[in-house]
Amino acid sequence: MQITVSGKNIDVSDALRKQVEKKLSKLTARYDTLVSANVTLSVERRNQIVQITVFGKGTEYRAESDSEDMYRSISEAVDKLDKQLSKSSERPLAIRKKDVVSNDGERLPAPVEAPVAEAPKASEPNGVKVVSFTAEALTVAEAVKALEEKGHTFYTFFNTENERINVVYMAERGICLIDPKLP
C-alpha cells in the first residue's frame, strides 16, 4: 500500500513516519483491497491530531483522532479505521440500512460496486471553503453504494443515466436524490 504522510504545523520525523507505516501495514495484512493512504499529522495547541484516509478498490474510509500524544492519536485513528473496515467486510452488499428513494418517492435499485474517487482538494478564497474534486461517472445505485461505504451525509456524482451532476444524501426518510435541471 502506498502511504503519504504529511504534516501541518509539525515536521514529520522518521520515527513518526515509521509508526504510521507500521500501524497501517497491519491493516494492509488484514484487508488486501487497500491501495493507498493519505495521513496528515497536525498540532493545534496541545492536541496532536491524526487524519487518515484509506483508499481501496471502490472504497474510501476516513478516521481522525486527537490526544496529547501523537503516537496515541495514530493508534486510535488506525483502530477506528480497523473497525470501519471490519464492519464493511462483514456486511453483505445486499443488506442496506435504509431504503433508497428518489425525490418523487419511487424506490431505486440496489447499489453496486463504485470506482475509487480521487481525494478532494480544498482552498479558502475570501473565507469560503471551496472543495474541488473530479465527479465520478456513476449510476444512482453506484452513488448510493459509495455514499453508504464512505459514511458521508451526501455524495456528488455525474449521473451516467441522465448525463447531469446529481447528489444523493441521507435524510430521515431514507436516501434521497437531487437531480437539478436547467430551464
Side-chain angles (χ1 to χ4, degrees):
M1 172 166 61
Q2 178 185 352
I3 300 171
T4 305
V5 181
S6 60
K8 182 179 175 185
N9 301 329
I10 185 175
D11 289 326
V12 179
S13 66
D14 288 337
L16 284 173
R17 189 177 309 277
K18 286 180 183 176
Q19 181 70 8
V20 167
E21 291 172 354
K22 177 183 172 186
K23 293 289 186 177
L24 288 177
S25 68
K26 292 178 183 178
L27 289 182
T28 306
R30 289 186 63 195
Y31 308 100
D32 59 350
T33 60
L34 300 179
V35 177
S36 65
N38 292 334
V39 180
T40 303
L41 310 177
S42 59
V43 176
E44 292 179 10
R45 296 184 186 162
R46 289 172 153 186
N47 288 339
Q48 311 287 315
I49 304 166
V50 176
Q51 298 171 321
I52 304 174
T53 305
V54 178
F55 301 93
K57 297 176 184 172
T59 59
E60 176 181 316
Y61 298 93
R62 291 191 180 118
E64 181 176 330
S65 181
D66 65 279
S67 70
E68 291 186 5
D69 178 46
M70 186 63 79
Y71 291 95
R72 189 165 117 202
S73 295
I74 292 168
S75 292
E76 289 174 357
V78 171
D79 289 345
K80 288 179 183 180
L81 278 173
D82 189 25
K83 287 178 185 175
Q84 289 179 34
L85 289 162
S86 175
K87 192 175 184 181
S88 73
S89 66
E90 291 172 1
R91 183 177 51 189
L93 295 179
I95 297 175
R96 297 189 319 259
K97 290 181 183 174
K98 297 184 178 188
D99 286 334
V100 181
V101 226
S102 68
N103 281 350
D104 51 355
E106 126 187 20
R107 271 194 96 177
L108 300 173
V112 294
E113 189 76 18
V116 176
E118 66 181 58
K121 299 172 189 150
S123 62
E124 294 187 27
N126 302 324
V128 176
K129 184 173 182 177
V130 177
V131 179
S132 299
F133 63 96
T134 303
E136 294 181 80
L138 304 171
T139 65
V140 174
E142 291 169 335
V144 168
K145 173 118 170 73
L147 172 76
E148 289 175 340
E149 286 181 346
K150 295 176 183 184
H152 298 314
T153 54
F154 68 93
Y155 191 79
T156 306
F157 66 103
F158 179 80
N159 188 337
T160 57
E161 296 163 346
N162 62 20
E163 297 185 346
R164 291 191 294 269
I165 297 292
N166 287 181
V167 177
V168 289
Y169 66 96
M170 301 293 280
E172 287 182 17
R173 62 183 179 151
I175 297 176
C176 297
L177 172 71
I178 297 176
D179 182 15
K181 296 176 183 142
L182 296 176

